[in-house]
Amino acid sequence: MLIDTHSHMYDVAFDDDRDEAIARAQAAGVGKMLLPAVDRESYDAMFALSRRYPAYCRPMMGLHPTSVNGNPDYRADLDRVAEYLQEPPAGIRFCGVGEIGLDFYWSRDFREQQMQALRFQIELALAYDLPVAIHTRDAWDEMCGLLEDFGGRGLRGVMHSFCGTAEHYRRIRAVGTFCFGIGGPVTYKKSAVAEVLPAMRLDELLLETDSPYLPPVPYRGKRNESGYLPLICERIAAIYGISPDEVAETTARSVRKIFGDAFF
């Protein structure tokens, strides 16, 4: 089974053909998809999709780091995340805390606020024994340092769209039980993650698309969707010199290791 561990299929980009896109994903062999949250503006759409496909779509809850930037109400938004985790909406069962993290690509002006939000949400994940789905962009050194503060506390999760160095990989895996999400960028001609991948263990990788973002070759510049997950699987298989079936089987086992059999 192929599992898309990071898909925003509830995004407005799919409003015209969401059911068709999900049918294409199923036809491509994608057996499950995990839906990371972004912010209060998109929660209802995520809940609606999760209720429409309860056996197929598994939602998370969290506040994306760029949704902290310039947001005077971000603390209230964090309280809302905590309230949802304490009492999920009807028909909703969260499989993780995410998408959370650090993103200094657009600005470093909100560095402290983002770090505060990340720490707060990691504490929620530990309190509810849930994995985290962590976004990192232009902040790998800061991310490693922050996560190391949580070493020895049983933290587990996935580093979404991993694009750090081999040293970042080693530091993060020493913190707790982490897997590393590999998506469309692994198929690009100049791919930093493709260069690091041989130094990483196959059983610590997860497959993801980040739909509608980061489409794989040959769809760069177009909308991404979960049905393109086999292209990512095939590229990883080529790098490791193994079959796509082995990649699919190994990564599916790793999803269960991080997220638990109860959610599948």
Side-chain angles (χ1 to χ4, degrees), residues 28-216:
V30 179
K32 301 277 185 185
M33 63 175 65
L34 308 187
L35 309 178
V38 176
D39 56 30
R40 64 177 183 269
E41 302 299 326
S42 58
Y43 292 156
D44 285 345
M46 182 182 71
F47 297 154
L49 181 59
S50 300
R51 292 185 181 109
R52 183 170 177 81
Y53 294 93
Y56 192 70
C57 296
R58 304 295 192 188
M60 305 183 204
M61 177 45 56
L63 183 67
H64 192 284
T66 60
S67 297
V68 172
N69 293 0
N71 177 5
D73 298 321
Y74 82 92
R75 289 185 178 86
D77 288 347
L78 291 173
D79 289 340
R80 180 175 300 191
V81 169
E83 290 167 4
Y84 273 137
L85 288 170
Q86 182 178 15
E87 188 173 351
I92 298 297
R93 185 180 184 188
F94 297 116
C95 69
V97 176
E99 178 176 356
I100 63 178
L102 300 175
D103 189 323
F104 303 149
Y105 176 79
W106 302 104
S107 172
R108 298 185 69 87
D109 293 345
F110 304 97
R111 177 181 181 276
E112 294 307 315
Q113 292 93 326
Q114 285 194 21
M115 295 185 78
Q116 179 192 46
L118 177 56
R119 289 180 181 278
F120 179 85
Q121 293 179 99
I122 288 175
E123 292 288 358
L124 287 175
L126 291 170
Y128 288 99
D129 190 25
L130 290 170
V132 290
I134 296 183
H135 169 112
T136 311
R137 192 178 188 191
D138 286 5
W140 283 102
D141 290 339
E142 292 92 341
M143 179 61 74
C144 288
L146 187 150
L147 290 178
E148 284 164 350
D149 291 342
F150 290 90
R153 296 186 58 188
L155 186 63
R156 72 186 193 278
V158 53
M159 302 305 296
H160 155 57
S161 192
F162 180 72
C163 59
T165 65
E167 177 61 21
H168 294 139
Y169 162 71
R170 287 190 288 269
R171 289 177 67 182
I172 291 166
R173 66 192 300 268
V175 169
T177 304
F178 275 92
C179 284
F180 300 81
I182 307 299
V186 76
T187 68
Y188 300 168
K189 186 174 182 180
K190 294 182 179 180
S191 171
V193 69
E195 294 179 3
V196 176
L197 214 56
M200 302 173 69
R201 288 174 39 174
L202 178 64
D203 66 353
E204 291 177 338
L205 306 184
L206 299 182
L207 302 176
E208 61 172 53
T209 62
D210 200 18
S211 300
Y213 313 106
L214 299 178

